[in-house]
Amino acid sequence: MQPGQNRQDYNISEGATVSARDIKRSDPNVGLSDNNNSGFLVILDASRNIRTFKLDKPRINIGRNDNMDIKINSKIVSGNHGTIIRKDDQFYYRDNGSMNGTYFNSRLIISSQRKASPVYSLGNGDILKIEAKDKNNPENTVMIFTTHEINENVWTYIDLHKFYPCLKIGRNVPEGHLKIDNMQVSKNHAAVYLNENGCMIQDTNSLNGVFVNNEKINGSCNLFNNDPESVKLSKQQSGAPAPKRYSPRHCFC
């Protein structure tokens, strides 16, 4: 299913559409709100620095140009690549007819006529990626939308070669491996392997699963440059509701 498919669409502006879960049919002309509700965008681009931006404006333009609200340091990103639009307490993303398009949770948003795409609603943990045909291109960029502010100092860089053949992830892992002190994470949740083909992640029979590009993996899958991997909790998987301020634990490969 493509992003926004089988949802009710409404005109928003500039010929685009918005897939709205919370907009009533009596409000077809969607306006933009200046309220204080904000989301955040975590970005890893070619600079290799992880940056966090507060989304506190009605429209936030993203691209390579100097006049963008969020400037992306990548040669494969268009000058005015995309826009995040805020309506009340909901956020939406639109690709502005960029050259390489935008992956929305691993599904490509692109227009053959270089026109603006439909507008897709964003939820906590949704992933936007800008990629070249080579999935390991160092210019590839990943953006994670979150409703919780993430301190940039919490990120830690881990050299996977030091843990050859694998880095273990979980609550009860050997010293030096990636330990996550959260009860939603299994004792031995996952493992990242280095092999002749690059990098692979395996779900080691965890309770709540492993998601790559916001899609749950079945057993294992290959990882490419800037692939975000996350450990998530869902009521359907665990039988218990998620804590109100629970946020996915993200890792970048």
Side-chain angles (χ1 to χ4, degrees), residues 101-121:
T102 306
Y103 284 87
F104 183 98
N105 294 333
S106 78
R107 292 173 174 82
L108 182 60
I109 301 170
I110 194 167
S111 172
S112 59
Q113 298 179 345
R114 301 292 300 276
K115 294 181 180 179
S117 75
V119 179
Y120 301 111
S121 55

Side-chain angles (χ1 to χ4, degrees), residues 139-192:
E139 299 290 330
N140 291 345
T141 297
V142 61
M143 301 175 284
I144 299 174
F145 173 81
T146 174
T147 55
H148 309 307
E149 186 171 8
I150 300 177
N151 191 321
E152 295 175 5
N153 296 325
V154 305
W155 297 101
T156 300
Y157 289 90
I158 299 176
D159 184 356
L160 294 177
H161 293 88
K162 294 181 180 179
F163 297 91
Y164 183 84
C166 79
L167 170 73
K168 296 182 178 180
I169 303 172
R171 287 189 291 112
N172 185 19
V173 294
E175 184 177 354
H177 287 251
L178 184 53
K179 182 178 181 180
I180 303 177
D181 291 319
N182 187 290
M183 292 304 296
Q184 314 308 330
V185 177
S186 298
K187 291 182 178 180
N188 292 289
H189 201 105
V192 179

Side-chain angles (χ1 to χ4, degrees), residues 217-238:
I217 69 171
N218 183 16
S220 63
C221 76
N222 292 325
L223 293 175
F224 300 96
N225 185 49
N226 285 5
D227 265 349
E229 172 266 324
S230 63
V231 177
K232 283 188 170 183
L233 170 72
S234 75
K235 185 175 181 180
Q236 290 75 17
Q237 293 163 349
S238 70

